Amino acid sequence: MIEIRSIIERAGHSKEDLITLLRSEGDDKDILFKKTGEIRDKHAGKKVWLRGLIEFSNICSKDCLYCGIRKSNKNISRYNLTDEEILKAAAFAYEKGFGSIALQSGELESKTFTNRIESLIKKIKKLSAGNLGITLSVGEQEKEVYQKWFDAGAHRYLLRMEATNPALYSKIHPGDTWHNFSRRLKCLESLKNIGYQTGTGVMIGLPFQTCDDLAGDLLFMKDFDIDMCGMGPYIEHADTPFIKYSSGIPSLAERLDLSLKMIAVLRLIMKDINIVASTALQSIDPEGREKAVRIGANIIMPNITPGKYRDSYRLYENKPCSGDSADDCLASFEENIKAEGYEIIYGEWGDSKHFFKRSKG
């Protein structure tokens, strides 16, 4: 217990320190969670900000070995929302007082896709009188494309690495030029250089993954100086090559526990970034997102995708709220967060404090 307290209070943390924290149990884990909850409340207050998540298409050019919307999966109903459906969802978020929305889809690269996203950003800005913040999560693109979208009005971008150890990255992706670790890293660097609030994240509990890998992920995020993070437990999908490794990975309960510790330790070493309480946490535990808020997370992304499509954006199995309306999802979450003693902040973008500190530096 003395060792855990001393590790927590250190100004800098080695990989060995982080591994010790990630392996903490019992009283040691309680001490860690109590401290990171205090850090979260000091830097963000007892507040939670919303990003209305619009999963506008599950069409993807990538073939990631773990993902349910991989292009080789023939057992999925593909969809692509119309512009009108996307704008209706954005209008819903604006009317409900959300500060921001997040546009997410499978990864595509084409002039048509680039122009469509640019047009949607401008239309969303117009319908909200410039009041809705816009986060994009649509994968790898050329720097010129990212710049075009930034100039149109998007200001945050989430590009998850999924694994920051190149050796592990190569195991979870096909060995081809479309799944190149160096290119993904270069994209992250482009986003940061353009001026986006830049976010990344990893999956926790992957086949072949070690605690050393996860500690390395945390150090990568700190060294890269990210502004926001979205990470959560790996959850299997039956229609992927990785389903064959299910027997050799941690249980769902263990993956949930490790994910919460990853959030807590990241909050410890990056005190003022935005951290998302991911939907995947809720897939394992109905209170997973609330537990994440208690120990470090400050962003929630209610799914406002039209209900008839929501079940088809299935990156993993047992996705929660797939049959609920956007109103029902929001009401349930709001009730739970208030019961935890937190306030949902409406009408604010909830930008990363770290971003402005980094930009001034």
Side-chain angles (χ1 to χ4, degrees), residues 4 20-30 257 261:
I4 286 292
T20 299
L21 294 173
L22 292 174
R23 288 177 174 166
S24 61
E25 298 293 344
D27 291 343
D28 285 343
K29 184 173 72 173
D30 291 342
D257 181 67
K261 285 187 278 192

Side-chain angles (χ1 to χ4, degrees), residues 52-56 81-95 98-104 116-136 149 152-155 304 349:
L53 178 61
I54 306 173
E55 297 167 331
F56 65 90
L81 266 63
T82 64
D83 287 6
E84 290 72 20
E85 288 172 318
I86 295 170
L87 294 173
K88 184 177 179 181
F92 170 88
Y94 181 51
E95 290 161 7
F98 286 33
S100 299
I101 60 168
L103 295 177
Q104 180 173 302
R116 185 188 189 206
I117 299 299
E118 180 185 23
S119 174
L120 284 167
I121 293 168
K122 291 178 178 179
K123 289 176 180 177
I124 290 166
K125 285 294 183 181
K126 183 176 180 180
L127 73 82
S128 68
N131 290 314
L132 272 181
I134 299 177
T135 302
L136 297 178
W149 293 341
H155 71 292
I304 60 172
W349 285 8

Side-chain angles (χ1 to χ4, degrees), residues 10 23 30 53 75 77 95-96 149 280 347-348 360:
R10 284 176 194 163
R23 288 177 174 166
D30 291 342
L53 178 61
N75 299 323
S77 176
E95 290 161 7
K96 293 295 181 180
W149 293 341
E348 291 183 11
K360 288 179 182 178

Side-chain angles (χ1 to χ4, degrees), residues 4 7 51 56 67 83 130 172 185 259 340 344 348:
I4 286 292
I7 289 174
R51 310 274 186 264
F56 65 90
C67 183
D83 287 6
I172 66 176
L185 182 57
S259 296
E340 293 286 338
I344 297 177
E348 291 183 11

Side-chain angles (χ1 to χ4, degrees), residues 267-287:
R267 179 58 71 193
L268 178 68
I269 64 174
M270 299 195 77
K271 294 178 170 55
D272 56 357
I273 67 170
N274 281 344
I275 302 178
V276 177
S278 72
T279 305
L281 296 167
Q282 190 185 4
S283 297
I284 298 176
D285 182 339
E287 297 182 3

Side-chain angles (χ1 to χ4, degrees), residues 27-42:
D27 291 343
D28 285 343
K29 184 173 72 173
D30 291 342
I31 291 169
L32 172 64
F33 283 178
K34 183 175 186 295
K35 180 63 177 179
T36 59
E38 291 170 355
I39 293 171
R40 177 233 185 280
D41 292 349
K42 178 181 178 180

Side-chain angles (χ1 to χ4, degrees), residues 321-348:
C321 284
S322 60
D324 296 343
S325 71
D327 273 312
D328 288 341
C329 286
L330 179 60
S332 174
F333 162 71
E334 187 170 29
E335 181 180 343
N336 293 344
I337 286 297
K338 286 183 177 179
E340 293 286 338
Y342 291 89
E343 177 188 6
I344 297 177
I345 304 301
Y346 289 98
E348 291 183 11

Side-chain angles (χ1 to χ4, degrees), residues 236-297:
E236 309 94 309
H237 193 293
D239 297 322
T240 66
F242 261 35
I243 194 66
K244 64 185 177 183
Y245 300 117
S246 296
S247 62
I249 59 176
S251 68
L252 285 173
E254 290 170 330
R255 279 175 264 169
L256 173 66
D257 181 67
L258 192 51
S259 296
L260 292 174
K261 285 187 278 192
M262 283 286 286
I263 289 171
V265 178
L266 182 61
R267 179 58 71 193
L268 178 68
I269 64 174
M270 299 195 77
K271 294 178 170 55
D272 56 357
I273 67 170
N274 281 344
I275 302 178
V276 177
S278 72
T279 305
L281 296 167
Q282 190 185 4
S283 297
I284 298 176
D285 182 339
E287 297 182 3
R289 292 188 302 181
E290 289 80 2
K291 290 179 178 179
V293 167
R294 285 179 216 153
I295 53 90

